[in-house]
Amino acid sequence: KTIEALAFPHLFPNGQGSYDEERETNLQWKEYCKARLYSSDSRFATDSSYIFYLQYLGDLKQVYSGINIAFRKKLPMSAKQSLDEMQMKFLMNKDMIYHHLRSVRGSPQYWHQRLKDLFGMTRQLGFPTFFITLSCADLRWKEFVYTFVRHTGLPVKESYTFEEKTKLLRANPVLAARLFERRFMSFMNLFIKGGAWCVRNVKDWFARIEMQLRGSPHSHMPIWVEGAPKYNGPQTDEKTREEIVKFCDKYITTRFPSLDEDAELHNSIKEVQTHSRNHSKRCLKYHNTLCVFGFPRAVSRRTFICEPFKADNDDDKQYCKKVKEILTEMNGTMNTLEKEKMLSWSD
């Protein structure tokens, strides 16, 4: 019972104050974790080992609770039956062995349940109108860095080096997550769900927030909008197609201002919104020179719906083959021009 104080003596110097101590008022586990991580005493929130310890223990408690419920409700079996190999194979095939992990956030069973919820929303509401990706620019948002600095009690400077920013970010993981959540919910409430109505009246939305490779939160989010034109496949009539194109042009724009017009926006787009200049390892997975996503892509001067082409005869197959050869050659040429810095954004 004293494992928490024994494992973290620098956080519990007198060996008191851990969760399993007797208290006058019963304290739930989640309440205890919040009290520790949200406390003005930042020792607990800045210790990553302690944060992972709380996460591990919380998952363990949920698993034990789920197992007990699963055995009472869904798995009425004795100890002898649990030794039967055929019985265990049957339960594994029915996915009943891991059924209790649905309550553990982040587990495959949890996300499988959330996927079913998303499918249910799609059946009721139809296909989503928009798919939005929101990333945490924690090293670019000045208020993030200033909050980290004020939290440590140090004076705020005008600018910080990359090393100073990363050090502050690593030292405040809980604060960084809370700031992103606050910013994310404010953005949704003010711009998406209400207030500004940037994408018309939103009926519903679904978000999955995950951690990127660098450790920052990242949100994937489909949104359902009222009154949006619906695409019905290749049989969609011409009038609906025109409405879809007008709808896309109204709410989705791509613009790259010059340095003279807006220097700050120009630099932001160039650094974080231009794929071809920032290829990742995933992009060059199959080819050392060509991006698997086809960047840099040829510029289209209008919005159009791109539909699959069915090659039913030899002539069509030959046509498809020639088109692919032309596109591959064009992409390779654009890559070469870009690397040699002969391809500018005005071309």
Side-chain angles (χ1 to χ4, degrees):
K1 280 193 172 183
T2 57
I3 184 65
E4 189 178 359
L6 292 171
F8 302 95
H10 59 292
L11 300 179
F12 301 90
N14 57 2
Q16 296 179 347
S18 57
Y19 171 69
D20 44 33
E21 278 190 4
E22 291 187 6
R23 292 179 171 81
E24 292 183 9
T25 306
N26 186 30
L27 189 64
Q28 297 296 323
W29 172 250
K30 287 188 177 180
E31 293 173 354
Y32 174 78
C33 292
K34 286 181 180 179
R36 282 282 175 244
L37 298 179
Y38 296 173
S39 171
S40 58
D41 183 356
S42 60
R43 289 178 302 159
F44 301 94
T46 55
D47 192 323
S48 57
S49 297
Y50 182 70
I51 295 170
F52 280 115
Y53 166 81
L54 294 179
Q55 176 69 36
Y56 167 74
L57 218 58
D59 290 347
L60 212 59
K61 288 176 182 293
Q62 284 185 308
V63 168
Y64 283 151
S65 174
I67 288 173
N68 292 332
I69 294 170
F71 268 92
R72 284 201 304 270
K73 287 187 175 181
K74 296 183 178 294
L75 300 175
M77 58 188 291
S78 63
K80 183 180 178 182
Q81 288 174 315
S82 67
L83 298 173
D84 185 0
E85 191 176 343
M86 295 299 294
Q87 177 77 0
M88 296 307 291
K89 278 185 178 179
F90 170 77
L91 295 173
M92 290 275 281
N93 291 335
K94 293 291 183 182
D95 199 27
M96 296 174 75
I97 293 292
Y98 304 107
H99 199 69
H100 56 275
L101 290 172
R102 285 191 307 173
S103 60
V104 182
R105 188 178 182 87
S107 67
Q109 287 72 28
Y110 171 85
W111 285 118
H112 185 67
Q113 185 63 32
R114 298 291 287 147
L115 181 65
K116 289 181 178 177
D117 295 340
L118 182 59
F119 283 159
M121 293 172 73
T122 306
R123 279 195 296 271
Q124 291 293 324
L125 303 169
F127 291 119
T129 312
F130 293 105
F131 184 85
I132 298 177
T133 303
L134 300 174
S135 297
C136 180
D138 37 31
L139 299 180
R140 295 177 177 275
W141 293 332
K142 290 183 178 179
E143 63 272 20
F144 265 49
V145 180
Y146 292 164
T147 305
F148 297 152
V149 175
R150 284 196 294 267
H151 196 63
T152 58
L154 297 172
V156 176
K157 297 192 296 184
E158 274 297 318
S159 62
Y160 293 86
T161 63
F162 178 78
E163 288 74 19
E164 287 175 328
K165 289 178 182 178
T166 53
K167 189 176 179 181
L168 286 166
L169 185 61
R170 284 197 301 268
N172 298 277
V174 175
L175 188 59
R178 292 184 69 192
L179 285 170
F180 174 75
E181 184 185 18
R182 179 64 183 270
R183 195 179 180 109
F184 172 76
M185 292 310 301
S186 297
F187 178 79
M188 291 300 298
N189 292 330
L190 293 174
F191 294 100
I192 303 298
K193 294 196 293 181
W197 298 106
C198 289
V199 289
R200 293 171 75 165
N201 187 14
V202 175
K203 288 192 290 186
D204 210 341
W205 59 284
F206 181 96
R208 170 171 175 163
I209 296 177
E210 57 193 23
M211 296 300 167
Q212 292 176 291
L213 200 62
R214 61 193 176 93
S216 297
H218 182 78
S219 172
H220 297 293
M221 184 167 46
I223 288 177
W224 286 265
V225 173
E226 283 185 5
K230 297 188 184 299
Y231 176 69
N232 300 314
Q235 61 269 23
T236 308
D237 59 85
E238 198 60 37
K239 184 181 178 183
T240 307
R241 287 171 183 270
E242 290 176 6
E243 289 176 358
I244 292 170
V245 168
K246 286 180 182 177
F247 184 87
C248 292
D249 287 339
K250 183 178 180 181
Y251 293 102
I252 303 171
T253 60
T254 55
R255 186 168 164 270
F256 193 26
S258 63
L259 275 168
D260 297 331
E261 188 181 354
D262 192 334
E264 186 179 356
L265 186 59
H266 174 92
N267 291 326
S268 293
I269 293 173
K270 186 178 179 181
E271 290 173 14
V272 299
Q273 289 294 109
T274 53
H275 178 98
S276 56
R277 294 177 187 271
N278 302 302
H279 290 300
S280 64
K281 288 182 180 179
R282 171 71 178 87
C283 296
L284 309 175
K285 186 176 181 181
Y286 302 111
H287 311 283
N288 291 326
T289 55
L290 297 181
C291 174
V292 294
F293 301 108
F295 286 94
R297 293 180 179 177
V299 176
S300 172
R301 301 196 180 279
R302 63 184 180 85
T303 304
F304 61 91
I305 299 171
C306 188
E307 293 173 334
F309 180 79
K310 290 184 179 180
D312 297 325
N313 52 55
D314 292 340
D315 290 339
D316 288 346
K317 289 178 182 177
Q318 195 66 28
Y319 172 76
C320 285
K321 186 179 178 182
K322 183 150 181 78
V323 167
K324 285 179 181 178
E325 287 174 359
I326 293 170
L327 288 172
T328 304
E329 185 181 355
M330 183 175 70
N331 183 249
T333 305
M334 291 178 73
N335 263 285
T336 306
L337 290 171
E338 188 182 55
K339 284 176 184 175
E340 294 174 356
K341 299 192 175 176
M342 293 173 64
L343 184 68
S344 68
W345 289 102
S346 59
D347 292 338

